[in-house]
Amino acid sequence: SQQGEEDPQALSIQEGENATMNCSYKTSINNLQWYRQNSGRGLVHLILIRSNEREKHSGRLRVTLDTSKKSSSLLITASRAADTASYFCASISSGSARQLTFGSGTQLTVLP
Amino acid sequence: GAGVSQSPSNKVTEKGKDVELRCDPISGHTALYWYRQSLGQGLEFLIYFQGNSAPDKSGLPSDRFSAERTGGSVSTLTIQRTQQEDSAVYLCASSSSIDNQPQHFGDGTRLSIL
């Protein structure tokens, strides 16, 4: 079963604009990860943020984590048409669990 | 190889047949995971291997599903007596055993049960 929800479910923006996706989860976590999936392909790892971190950057990506609200956000700045994909958050629960629990995903469309 | 490799990429079979899906993880990755992605259920965890042992099989949906891993490398996921609800994309991932490391995914096997 899925850990939580992502919103929006779908987002359509113009090239050059910023895209923000939000994710909520239900249990205490060790870390939270964001993945991208292009149609018909596997998941590509984007960024991992640990439970003791609040913000992380990687190129045009910025991830925040608020453990008190059990939420995370992914910001993609200066979007490109090639950023069109589905984006998923996934968390590793605290304790001995090793598997990812995924959110429901956001379908991002960047219009040229 | 450079990444996680899964085969076949597509499999179409008749209801009631057995199917075997293969995953070749990134060399040196001791942890291996199977997930399933379907329209109704999203991305679901199936089973996790550490080396050749499976400490967590909690996601396997029924006793028709089994998996094994040999030599700490290749893993096979077997579905016996397939049902239409087994139709999905089956994704394999691998990672190192060090904490807080990402999982790297293959492109998946798209399974269609007629």
Side-chain angles (χ1 to χ4, degrees):
Chain A
S1 63
Q2 292 174 30
Q3 166 78 285
E5 298 300 316
E6 288 184 56
D7 92 275
Q9 289 187 339
L11 179 61
S12 184
I13 59 174
Q14 295 292 135
E15 210 166 23
E17 293 180 340
N18 296 341
T20 300
M21 289 160 266
N22 302 295
C23 163
S24 63
Y25 57 91
K26 295 177 181 172
T27 64
S28 296
I29 61 171
N30 278 339
N31 66 62
L32 187 140
Q33 304 177 36
W34 285 89
Y35 287 82
R36 184 185 75 210
Q37 185 177 39
N38 290 87
S39 180
R41 303 300 301 273
L43 295 153
V44 175
H45 181 262
L46 296 176
I47 197 164
L48 180 153
I49 187 165
R50 302 181 187 197
S51 61
N52 61 353
E53 296 176 312
R54 293 296 166 258
E55 188 171 312
K56 204 160 182 181
H57 297 252
S58 176
R60 293 184 297 113
L61 306 180
R62 173 177 168 255
V63 167
T64 62
L65 179 65
D66 187 337
T67 53
S68 67
K69 295 181 179 177
K70 292 188 168 59
S71 68
S72 175
S73 68
L74 171 68
L75 168 68
I76 304 174
T77 60
S79 62
R80 305 166 182 169
D83 295 330
T84 295
S86 292
Y87 291 81
F88 294 90
C89 67
S91 57
I92 302 281
S93 296
S94 298
S96 59
R98 296 299 301 265
Q99 72 270 23
L100 291 165
T101 305
F102 284 88
S104 49
T106 294
Q107 173 61 50
L108 174 66
T109 302
V110 181
L111 303 169
Chain B
V4 177
S5 177
Q6 291 188 247
S7 61
S9 53
N10 285 283
K11 177 74 176 179
V12 181
T13 193
E14 293 179 347
K15 177 182 169 181
K17 301 286 189 186
D18 297 352
V19 295
E20 196 171 273
L21 313 180
R22 176 188 167 108
C23 173
D24 212 331
I26 292 173
S27 178
H29 279 184
T30 55
L32 185 147
Y33 311 79
W34 284 98
Y35 296 89
R36 179 169 73 173
Q37 186 175 27
S38 57
L39 278 175
Q41 300 297 322
L43 279 149
E44 303 173 282
F45 166 75
L46 297 178
I47 188 170
Y48 152 61
F49 286 92
Q50 179 58 45
N52 291 336
S53 65
D56 192 346
K57 304 179 183 179
S58 62
L60 294 178
S62 77
D63 58 8
R64 296 185 295 105
F65 287 72
S66 62
E68 65 175 15
R69 189 180 186 195
T70 55
S73 182
V74 172
S75 175
T76 54
L77 176 69
T78 301
I79 309 172
Q80 296 178 308
R81 305 181 302 282
T82 51
Q83 304 294 312
Q84 286 188 330
E85 62 263 26
D86 300 334
S87 295
V89 177
Y90 290 81
L91 293 162
C92 176
S94 70
S95 72
S96 78
S97 296
I98 301 170
D99 284 345
N100 293 308
Q101 294 299 308
Q103 294 181 19
H104 299 273
F105 283 78
D107 282 341
T109 293
R110 182 174 297 276
L111 178 63
S112 300
I113 309 299
L114 303 178

